[in-house]
Amino acid sequence: MSNPPLSDPRAATALRAAQMYYLQDMTMDAIARELATSRSSVSRLLSHARDTGLVEIQIHQPQGQELRLEEAIRARYGIAAHVVPTSKNLSDVERFERVAMSAARLLPLYFDSNMTLGIAWGSTLDAISRHLPKKETHNSTVVQLNGAGNTFTSGVDYASEILHRFGQAFGAGIQQFPVPAFFDDPRTKEAMWRERSTRRVLDLQARADVILFGLGSPFAEVPSRVYIGGYLDRGDYRSLREEKVVGDIATVFYRSDGSWKDIELNNRATGPSFSVLSRASRRICVVAGVQKLPSLRGAIATRLITDLVLDEHLAEQLVDS
């Protein structure tokens, strides 16, 4: 926990409360008496200290005793897993929120100054963005990986809001990608990709140090935005069924065996190819709910994932399957 110069009175009080609580082992009641405030006010001050980055909390597992599920996933797939404890009676919506919050708390460990973070818009990234703690970085950039427009909306406001939250949390610059999620004609995409303004964003995507993404799935209780937001028509759905697609990453579709290059719809998709995404040294997948097991298996088969944040029940299904 650092003690930077603080001009905001609330931040100064939050820092003082945090020092008493975390460094001096004082109870909240004792802190309340010393600060002449209520216990609930102390609780809010401590939350403020965590949310603004004055306090960073890390949980260390006992040395040499990795959790069984994380160890099993690492041994079988070569992926660093972060399993979020969840009881089996939770709904997928509750699991989803807990996993999103955990991913938001983990991200500052991997993203820092002089780095570029690529994010794929969608329900998962939207949820993560709402739980991000503050971490000030310098010369850092957050870039949108895939277009968000369709025939009903430009998608700019939705994607921009997610980008803005990430940029605000890390003090980073943001780069939007104002193109449709899917072009009507592959030739239109090819022409657009030759434009210098588009190439600049594509080059930034290709230089990303960290990629953060969820898994699109037509099976999940928490629907993936690409499947409910008017991005696909009946012909697209028919094509996906015929090609045995099980999910998508940044609107690039894949099958259960991890293959993706010959899927017709990918010729019109604006998300980066997996060969481009794989250039990032850390590629973090965030997923929740057993309905996404087929999508997760296929995503693992693409060999794109380096880090995986998932709920306990889904991890059990993955290991036992």
Side-chain angles (χ1 to χ4, degrees):
M1 180 170 61
S2 59
N3 190 356
L6 298 172
S7 56
D8 179 5
R10 187 186 183 200
T13 306
L15 177 61
R16 186 176 178 186
Q19 289 172 325
M20 293 177 186
Y21 187 76
Y22 291 106
L23 300 182
Q24 301 173 30
D25 289 333
M26 292 176 62
T27 66
M28 282 196 279
D29 287 329
I31 297 169
R33 287 194 298 272
E34 185 155 333
L35 296 181
T37 188
S38 66
R39 190 180 190 279
S40 60
S41 295
V42 172
S43 178
R44 287 192 292 271
L45 287 170
L46 295 175
S47 295
H48 182 70
R50 291 192 297 270
D51 292 341
T52 56
L54 290 172
V55 170
E56 293 181 358
I57 298 174
Q58 291 184 325
I59 299 175
H60 298 280
Q61 297 176 18
Q63 189 173 2
Q65 295 183 34
E66 290 187 24
L67 293 177
R68 179 185 65 85
L69 292 171
E70 294 178 356
E71 188 177 42
I73 292 171
R74 184 187 294 274
R76 182 179 299 183
Y77 302 110
I79 292 172
H82 307 273
V83 177
V84 179
T86 50
S87 60
K88 291 186 178 181
N89 60 354
L90 290 179
S91 70
D92 265 11
V93 174
E94 292 171 310
R95 281 197 180 87
F96 175 78
E97 282 297 324
R98 291 194 187 185
V99 169
M101 180 179 290
S102 296
R105 302 304 192 211
L106 285 167
L107 184 59
L109 300 177
Y110 307 125
F111 182 58
D112 214 328
S113 297
N114 304 309
M115 295 178 73
T116 297
L117 170 67
I119 63 170
W121 60 264
S123 302
T124 300
L125 271 293
D126 185 26
I128 292 171
S129 71
R130 297 176 189 277
H131 297 294
L132 289 168
K134 297 281 187 182
K135 177 183 179 180
E136 194 65 30
T137 64
H138 306 283
N139 192 36
S140 59
T141 304
V142 181
V143 61
Q144 180 181 338
L145 292 177
N146 51 329
N150 60 22
T151 56
F152 301 104
T153 174
S154 68
V156 170
D157 291 343
Y158 174 70
S160 176
E161 189 172 358
I162 296 173
L163 281 167
H164 178 73
R165 293 191 199 112
F166 275 87
Q168 196 170 49
F170 294 105
I174 61 174
Q175 176 61 64
Q176 291 184 267
F177 195 30
V179 296
F182 301 97
F183 286 100
D184 292 333
D185 190 323
R187 291 171 296 184
T188 308
K189 173 184 171 181
E190 292 170 6
M192 188 67 142
W193 262 221
R194 290 194 294 269
E195 293 292 321
R196 283 182 296 175
S197 59
T198 306
R199 283 246 48 96
R200 181 176 61 82
V201 181
L202 296 175
D203 291 343
L204 188 59
Q205 293 172 353
R207 296 197 307 270
D209 303 282
V210 180
I211 299 293
L212 180 67
F213 56 91
L215 300 181
S217 169
F219 314 111
E221 184 177 322
V222 180
S224 303
R225 192 173 178 89
V226 70
Y227 297 99
I228 62 170
Y231 291 92
L232 304 173
D233 59 27
R234 289 183 179 180
D236 295 329
Y237 279 111
R238 182 171 58 251
S239 174
L240 294 178
R241 284 195 302 270
E242 290 173 352
E243 301 210 56
K244 296 181 171 55
V245 165
V246 297
D248 76 276
I249 294 171
T251 59
V252 175
F253 299 93
Y254 56 87
R255 303 184 184 91
S256 59
D257 63 359
S259 61
W260 58 274
K261 291 182 179 180
D262 61 338
I263 294 174
E264 187 276 332
L265 193 51
N266 288 342
N267 295 326
R268 299 191 283 115
T270 56
S273 69
F274 294 168
S275 55
V276 170
L277 292 181
S278 64
R279 298 176 190 174
S281 57
R282 192 175 294 274
R283 300 166 316 257
I284 307 169
C285 174
V286 183
V287 59
V290 293
Q291 288 90 345
K292 286 203 172 181
L293 182 59
S295 300
L296 177 55
R297 286 175 179 156
I300 290 172
T302 68
R303 305 183 68 82
L304 189 62
I305 301 170
T306 62
D307 294 77
L308 177 61
V309 185
L310 73 169
D311 67 272
E312 187 176 9
H313 191 31
L314 177 57
E316 289 173 349
Q317 295 292 311
L318 178 64
V319 168
D320 294 340
S321 62

